Amino acid sequence: TSAILLGTQLVLMSLVDPLGIGSYIFDVAVERVRGYITASYSRQNENDADELGMLLTSLSCFDVVAGATVLDKLASLGGHTETQMLDTHPASAERHSHISAMSKI
């Protein structure tokens, strides 16, 4: 999808004045759209990495509940408590819930 967005950006940029404010606004808008698209993908990668980490931890005979404890401590430190649209990582509280659920399986 990034290649399609970049190609579309190049075609439309050639139609807009390349030195004017319109091209700048268009470029910013394309970057925002790209951010919306890739942010959720990145969050899913983080969830997948957490699950893989839990699997490797379990296979290594370590305590899988400790991962949830670490994320619980991170969540209690503050920061953002909910995942926003452009966040690349899930909020610590959400990761804690996900890992806690995984550790009970």
Side-chain angles (χ1 to χ4, degrees), residues 27-89:
D27 191 41
V28 169
V30 168
E31 287 302 315
R32 294 280 178 150
V33 169
R34 188 176 295 144
Y36 290 135
I37 291 170
T38 59
S40 63
Y41 178 73
S42 180
R43 287 191 302 270
Q44 182 57 48
N45 285 346
E46 286 298 318
N47 285 332
D48 292 345
D50 287 342
E51 290 176 16
L52 180 60
M54 292 286 290
L55 175 65
L56 293 175
T57 301
S58 175
L59 292 174
S60 301
C61 298
F62 286 101
D63 184 13
V64 293
V65 178
T69 304
V70 169
L71 288 171
D72 185 38
K73 288 180 183 179
L74 282 174
S76 69
L77 291 175
H80 69 285
T81 56
E82 293 182 3
T83 302
Q84 302 298 318
M85 186 179 294
L86 291 177
D87 288 346
T88 57
H89 289 67

